[in-house]
Amino acid sequence: MEKKVNRIAVLTSGGDAPGMNAAVRAVVRTGIYYGLEVYGVMRGYQGLLDEDIFKMESRSVANIIQRGGTILKTARCLEFHKPEGRKKAYENLKKRGIDGMVVIGGDGSFRGATLLSQEFDIPVIGLAGTIDKDIAGTDFTIGFDTAVNTAVEAIDKIRDTADAHDRLFIVEVMGRDAGYIAIYSGISTGAGNILVPERKTDMDEVIASLQERENRKKLVNIIVVAEGDEFGGANEVARVVKKRLPHLDTRVCILGHIQRGGSPSALDRLIASRMGYHAVECLLEGRHNVFVGILNNRLNYVPLDTIGKSKGKIGGEWLKLMKVLTG
Ligand code: ADP
């Protein structure tokens, strides 16, 4: 096979997600396997502008598959939003003879990658690295499974203390404007209510379900709220509950950034490895400007420029399951 690239770069960008290291490792090892030179870029697009770019070898990625965070660091880079910033980034790649790039990040990073590849002659392959799973065209995003497991472990612990005191806990999980972490963790922990942006939150309904549970002497309650719920996070829900059911012992717990950290789950390591390998194959075959998704256990190459037009949507089946299994 004639190689379409000889020198490639890899970077992690935007919000970090556990499993990004496994993806970097797969890109580096696959690149080296095929005789490519692989360059690491520090701090996402910022490193392209600052020329913080270094050659990576197999040993650069030794002992990282199990580590959370990203050895390449990540950042948000405002300058990359401007055409001049992207021009500088391209020139810094060109100067080093880099003729292909793998971007591991979320939809924002993909939007930046799309512009770069449209404006200049450089193929970019995306890997969906986000705990939010808010990208259409893939059943998995790197970091989501670990974040859900972290949330489940935390909510199980919260349930123990809620049980000891007969308390209501309102637990806020991450996910930006997607409710996947809330649904997966809420169903997995037997939450009483799961509030997600995909379904309009009706506080009358929440209050009625709490009263109904109280009537059947169920005093331990967990409500899982997605941070992006349109009603407004756990504090807002708690404010209404405390006002309308003041006799309940109501507490708020915002899980926050612990959901981004920790050793990636086996599933996240596997999908990151698989996607990283295929990203390099894509560049070798001359594929341009797609991200590597896995849909129904098959590889799915999704054009980067369609990102943002179609967010991952939570289907009716999930909403029904939530309705039937909660309460
Ligand atoms: P994520 O990739 O996790 O969604 P961001 O939305 O912060 O995170 O995007 C990461 C980086 O990608 C931004 O800091 C910026 O450098 C770049 N980026 C995001 N959106 C655009 C855009 N519309 N145009 C150019 N670059 C963008």
Side-chain angles (χ1 to χ4, degrees):
M1 178 177 70
E2 188 214 339
K3 286 189 291 192
K4 303 284 190 201
V5 288
N6 290 298
R7 256 178 219 181
I8 63 170
V10 57
L11 58 82
T12 51
S13 169
D16 62 313
M20 280 182 159
N21 279 329
V24 171
R25 173 182 181 270
V27 169
V28 172
R29 291 186 70 111
T30 308
I32 290 170
Y33 176 87
Y34 284 114
L36 307 181
E37 283 185 27
V38 185
Y39 287 78
V41 181
M42 296 302 290
R43 296 183 175 79
Y45 297 128
Q46 192 61 49
L48 282 183
L49 299 175
D50 299 342
E51 300 195 61
D52 202 350
I53 302 169
F54 68 103
K55 188 152 181 278
M56 296 184 85
E57 311 290 349
S58 282
R59 67 177 180 280
S60 321
V61 291
N63 203 21
I64 65 165
I65 196 167
Q66 78 284 16
R67 282 168 58 190
T70 157
I71 59 160
L72 296 179
K73 308 265 184 182
T74 181
R76 298 203 149 95
C77 172
L78 287 180
E79 217 181 322
F80 202 75
H81 282 265
K82 299 186 200 133
E84 315 85 74
R86 294 192 293 274
K87 182 160 184 283
K88 195 165 146 199
Y90 174 71
E91 281 164 1
N92 288 338
L93 287 169
K94 207 70 204 161
K95 205 154 80 181
R96 289 169 175 77
I98 293 169
D99 48 13
M101 188 162 73
V102 178
V103 169
I104 306 165
D107 59 344
S109 302
F110 286 0
R111 267 190 283 277
T114 303
L115 290 173
L116 182 76
S117 61
Q118 284 171 346
E119 291 162 356
F120 304 98
D121 182 26
I122 179 128
V124 184
I125 305 296
L127 297 186
T130 163
I131 64 166
D132 306 328
K133 201 168 108 71
D134 55 354
I135 292 179
T138 184
D139 291 332
F140 304 99
T141 61
I142 298 162
F144 172 73
D145 183 64
T146 307
V148 168
N149 279 295
T150 301
V152 165
E153 206 182 312
I155 297 168
D156 283 347
K157 288 178 178 160
I158 289 167
R159 185 180 281 283
D160 287 346
T161 171
D163 187 51
H165 289 272
D166 288 337
R167 277 181 179 148
L168 162 64
F169 265 89
I170 303 174
V171 184
E172 183 178 303
V173 297
M174 281 186 163
R176 291 214 286 197
D177 50 0
Y180 281 107
I181 297 180
I183 293 193
Y184 277 50
S185 63
I187 289 178
S188 303
T189 54
N193 304 79
I194 304 169
L195 311 181
V196 292
E198 290 79 2
R199 181 174 183 267
K200 195 167 166 28
T201 293
D202 178 347
M203 279 311 290
D204 289 337
E205 192 183 291
V206 173
I207 298 293
S209 73
L210 285 169
Q211 283 170 326
E212 186 272 323
R213 275 175 257 157
E214 202 180 358
N215 290 342
R216 45 180 170 95
K217 305 272 179 285
K218 185 172 188 292
L219 299 173
V220 182
N221 278 301
I222 306 282
I223 299 179
V224 174
V225 192
E227 67 177 352
D229 188 60
E230 89 295 338
F231 189 76
N235 281 316
E236 193 52 25
V237 173
R239 191 184 60 75
V240 176
V241 170
K242 282 180 182 168
K243 196 163 161 206
R244 295 182 56 183
L245 302 172
H247 59 285
L248 292 185
D249 192 357
T250 302
R251 302 294 162 109
V252 167
C253 184
I254 295 173
L255 296 188
H257 282 79
I258 62 162
Q259 293 161 97
R260 287 194 181 277
S263 180
S265 67
L267 180 62
D268 274 331
R269 296 180 201 192
L270 270 175
I271 61 160
S273 300
R274 200 172 165 200
M275 289 175 174
Y277 162 79
H278 285 288
V280 177
E281 290 250 303
C282 280
L283 287 171
L284 285 167
E285 289 162 6
R287 241 181 239 273
H288 279 236
N289 317 332
V290 291
F291 87 83
V292 182
I294 300 175
L295 200 59
N296 302 324
N297 208 26
R298 283 170 178 243
L299 289 170
N300 190 31
Y301 300 112
V302 185
L304 278 178
D305 61 2
T306 62
I307 284 294
K309 289 175 194 153
S310 52
K311 285 242 164 199
K313 278 277 169 247
I314 291 175
E317 190 225 333
W318 281 114
L319 298 178
K320 183 76 195 282
L321 191 67
M322 223 162 67
K323 193 168 163 22
V324 173
L325 296 186
T326 55

